[in-house]
mmCIF file of all heavy atoms in Angstrom:
data_model
loop_
_atom_site.group_PDB
_atom_site.id
_atom_site.type_symbol
_atom_site.label_atom_id
_atom_site.label_comp_id
_atom_site.label_asym_id
_atom_site.label_seq_id
_atom_site.Cartn_x
_atom_site.Cartn_y
_atom_site.Cartn_z
ATOM 1 N N LEU A 92 92.027 88.900 100.074
ATOM 2 C CA LEU A 92 91.810 87.663 100.849
ATOM 3 C C LEU A 92 90.301 87.304 100.950
ATOM 4 O O LEU A 92 89.999 86.094 100.795
ATOM 5 C CB LEU A 92 92.428 87.772 102.282
ATOM 6 C CG LEU A 92 93.954 87.648 102.270
ATOM 7 C CD1 LEU A 92 94.470 87.943 103.742
ATOM 8 C CD2 LEU A 92 94.375 86.378 101.875
ATOM 9 N N ASP A 93 89.512 88.256 101.206
ATOM 10 C CA ASP A 93 87.999 87.968 101.137
ATOM 11 C C ASP A 93 87.587 87.429 99.830
ATOM 12 O O ASP A 93 86.717 86.489 99.820
ATOM 13 C CB ASP A 93 87.294 89.300 101.587
ATOM 14 C CG ASP A 93 87.461 89.667 102.988
ATOM 15 O OD1 ASP A 93 87.894 88.819 103.796
ATOM 16 O OD2 ASP A 93 87.191 90.850 103.295
ATOM 17 N N THR A 94 88.067 87.992 98.750
ATOM 18 C CA THR A 94 87.678 87.540 97.451
ATOM 19 C C THR A 94 88.129 86.113 97.235
ATOM 20 O O THR A 94 87.378 85.223 96.704
ATOM 21 C CB THR A 94 88.264 88.373 96.375
ATOM 22 O OG1 THR A 94 87.769 89.733 96.615
ATOM 23 C CG2 THR A 94 87.844 87.993 94.948
ATOM 24 N N LEU A 95 89.391 85.812 97.653
ATOM 25 C CA LEU A 95 89.886 84.411 97.568
ATOM 26 C C LEU A 95 89.133 83.449 98.375
ATOM 27 O O LEU A 95 88.819 82.363 97.932
ATOM 28 C CB LEU A 95 91.341 84.427 97.916
ATOM 29 C CG LEU A 95 92.340 84.962 96.901
ATOM 30 C CD1 LEU A 95 93.697 85.073 97.492
ATOM 31 C CD2 LEU A 95 92.325 84.192 95.591
ATOM 32 N N GLU A 96 88.802 83.855 99.600
ATOM 33 C CA GLU A 96 88.010 82.969 100.461
ATOM 34 C C GLU A 96 86.677 82.660 99.968
ATOM 35 O O GLU A 96 86.112 81.547 100.160
ATOM 36 C CB GLU A 96 88.023 83.552 101.888
ATOM 37 C CG GLU A 96 89.279 83.469 102.607
ATOM 38 C CD GLU A 96 89.276 84.167 103.978
ATOM 39 O OE1 GLU A 96 88.299 84.821 104.271
ATOM 40 O OE2 GLU A 96 90.238 84.137 104.708
ATOM 41 N N ARG A 97 86.044 83.639 99.333
ATOM 42 C CA ARG A 97 84.714 83.453 98.784
ATOM 43 C C ARG A 97 84.701 82.699 97.459
ATOM 44 O O ARG A 97 83.750 82.216 96.932
ATOM 45 C CB ARG A 97 84.024 84.737 98.588
ATOM 46 C CG ARG A 97 83.534 85.355 99.910
ATOM 47 C CD ARG A 97 82.622 86.560 99.669
ATOM 48 N NE ARG A 97 83.221 87.606 98.784
ATOM 49 C CZ ARG A 97 83.848 88.695 99.215
ATOM 50 N NH1 ARG A 97 83.847 88.952 100.517
ATOM 51 N NH2 ARG A 97 84.343 89.585 98.425
ATOM 52 N N GLY A 98 85.888 82.551 96.875
ATOM 53 C CA GLY A 98 86.030 81.842 95.547
ATOM 54 C C GLY A 98 85.518 82.639 94.422
ATOM 55 O O GLY A 98 84.946 82.100 93.472
ATOM 56 N N GLU A 99 85.646 83.905 94.433
ATOM 57 C CA GLU A 99 85.142 84.778 93.410
ATOM 58 C C GLU A 99 86.071 85.245 92.344
ATOM 59 O O GLU A 99 85.772 86.039 91.477
ATOM 60 C CB GLU A 99 84.481 86.053 94.046
ATOM 61 C CG GLU A 99 83.357 85.688 95.000
ATOM 62 C CD GLU A 99 82.728 86.912 95.613
ATOM 63 O OE1 GLU A 99 83.372 87.990 95.525
ATOM 64 O OE2 GLU A 99 81.727 86.834 96.280
ATOM 65 N N THR A 100 87.329 84.681 92.383
ATOM 66 C CA THR A 100 88.249 85.096 91.257
ATOM 67 C C THR A 100 87.909 84.337 89.987
ATOM 68 O O THR A 100 87.334 83.240 90.080
ATOM 69 C CB THR A 100 89.734 84.848 91.704
ATOM 70 O OG1 THR A 100 89.889 83.417 91.792
ATOM 71 C CG2 THR A 100 90.049 85.547 92.981
ATOM 72 N N GLU A 101 88.331 84.855 88.846
ATOM 73 C CA GLU A 101 88.072 84.227 87.619
ATOM 74 C C GLU A 101 88.702 82.834 87.542
ATOM 75 O O GLU A 101 88.088 81.909 87.028
ATOM 76 C CB GLU A 101 88.521 85.127 86.463
ATOM 77 C CG GLU A 101 87.699 86.357 86.283
ATOM 78 C CD GLU A 101 86.289 86.030 85.991
ATOM 79 O OE1 GLU A 101 85.984 85.168 85.209
ATOM 80 O OE2 GLU A 101 85.425 86.784 86.590
ATOM 81 N N ARG A 102 89.926 82.796 88.038
ATOM 82 C CA ARG A 102 90.529 81.426 87.962
ATOM 83 C C ARG A 102 89.834 80.378 88.919
ATOM 84 O O ARG A 102 89.678 79.230 88.398
ATOM 85 C CB ARG A 102 91.974 81.641 88.461
ATOM 86 C CG ARG A 102 92.835 80.401 88.437
ATOM 87 C CD ARG A 102 94.215 80.670 88.879
ATOM 88 N NE ARG A 102 94.998 79.437 88.872
ATOM 89 C CZ ARG A 102 96.258 79.329 89.170
ATOM 90 N NH1 ARG A 102 96.923 80.411 89.532
ATOM 91 N NH2 ARG A 102 96.858 78.191 89.023
ATOM 92 N N GLN A 103 89.431 80.857 89.992
ATOM 93 C CA GLN A 103 88.654 79.873 90.816
ATOM 94 C C GLN A 103 87.326 79.457 90.196
ATOM 95 O O GLN A 103 86.902 78.280 90.269
ATOM 96 C CB GLN A 103 88.396 80.569 92.260
ATOM 97 C CG GLN A 103 89.599 80.556 93.036
ATOM 98 C CD GLN A 103 89.389 81.347 94.430
ATOM 99 O OE1 GLN A 103 88.705 82.359 94.377
ATOM 100 N NE2 GLN A 103 89.889 80.815 95.455
ATOM 101 N N LYS A 104 86.638 80.389 89.553
ATOM 102 C CA LYS A 104 85.404 80.053 88.828
ATOM 103 C C LYS A 104 85.684 79.062 87.721
ATOM 104 O O LYS A 104 84.961 78.095 87.497
ATOM 105 C CB LYS A 104 84.719 81.318 88.302
ATOM 106 C CG LYS A 104 84.217 82.205 89.423
ATOM 107 C CD LYS A 104 83.607 83.542 88.826
ATOM 108 C CE LYS A 104 83.166 84.426 89.874
ATOM 109 N NZ LYS A 104 82.614 85.703 89.401
ATOM 110 N N ARG A 105 86.740 79.328 86.894
ATOM 111 C CA ARG A 105 87.116 78.365 85.850
ATOM 112 C C ARG A 105 87.432 77.006 86.482
ATOM 113 O O ARG A 105 87.037 75.974 85.871
ATOM 114 C CB ARG A 105 88.339 78.867 85.128
ATOM 115 C CG ARG A 105 87.995 79.930 84.061
ATOM 116 C CD ARG A 105 89.157 80.203 83.103
ATOM 117 N NE ARG A 105 90.464 80.186 83.766
ATOM 118 C CZ ARG A 105 91.101 81.296 84.168
ATOM 119 N NH1 ARG A 105 90.595 82.461 83.952
ATOM 120 N NH2 ARG A 105 92.263 81.191 84.717
ATOM 121 N N ASP A 106 88.229 76.929 87.551
ATOM 122 C CA ASP A 106 88.629 75.674 88.092
ATOM 123 C C ASP A 106 87.334 74.938 88.680
ATOM 124 O O ASP A 106 87.319 73.757 88.478
ATOM 125 C CB ASP A 106 89.584 75.866 89.239
ATOM 126 C CG ASP A 106 90.984 76.327 88.720
ATOM 127 O OD1 ASP A 106 91.230 76.169 87.550
ATOM 128 O OD2 ASP A 106 91.816 76.781 89.546
ATOM 129 N N ILE A 107 86.430 75.600 89.270
ATOM 130 C CA ILE A 107 85.181 75.006 89.744
ATOM 131 C C ILE A 107 84.390 74.424 88.625
ATOM 132 O O ILE A 107 83.891 73.287 88.619
ATOM 133 C CB ILE A 107 84.378 75.974 90.640
ATOM 134 C CG1 ILE A 107 85.174 76.244 91.905
ATOM 135 C CG2 ILE A 107 83.049 75.455 90.894
ATOM 136 C CD1 ILE A 107 84.525 77.376 92.703
ATOM 137 N N ALA A 108 84.232 75.202 87.509
ATOM 138 C CA ALA A 108 83.519 74.722 86.355
ATOM 139 C C ALA A 108 84.176 73.510 85.721
ATOM 140 O O ALA A 108 83.531 72.534 85.356
ATOM 141 C CB ALA A 108 83.336 75.832 85.323
ATOM 142 N N ARG A 109 85.495 73.555 85.663
ATOM 143 C CA ARG A 109 86.207 72.365 85.037
ATOM 144 C C ARG A 109 86.117 71.117 85.989
ATOM 145 O O ARG A 109 85.830 70.025 85.469
ATOM 146 C CB ARG A 109 87.735 72.774 84.989
ATOM 147 C CG ARG A 109 88.577 71.775 84.382
ATOM 148 C CD ARG A 109 89.983 72.334 84.150
ATOM 149 N NE ARG A 109 90.880 71.236 83.828
ATOM 150 C CZ ARG A 109 91.926 70.866 84.626
ATOM 151 N NH1 ARG A 109 92.178 71.587 85.673
ATOM 152 N NH2 ARG A 109 92.694 69.853 84.277
#
Side-chain angles (χ1 to χ4, degrees):
L92 284 175
D93 289 342
T94 302
L95 286 173
E96 287 174 353
R97 288 191 303 261
E99 294 178 353
T100 64
E101 290 302 317
R102 182 177 181 181
Q103 286 174 319
K104 289 177 184 177
R105 281 193 319 264
D106 289 345
I107 289 170
R109 183 172 165 243

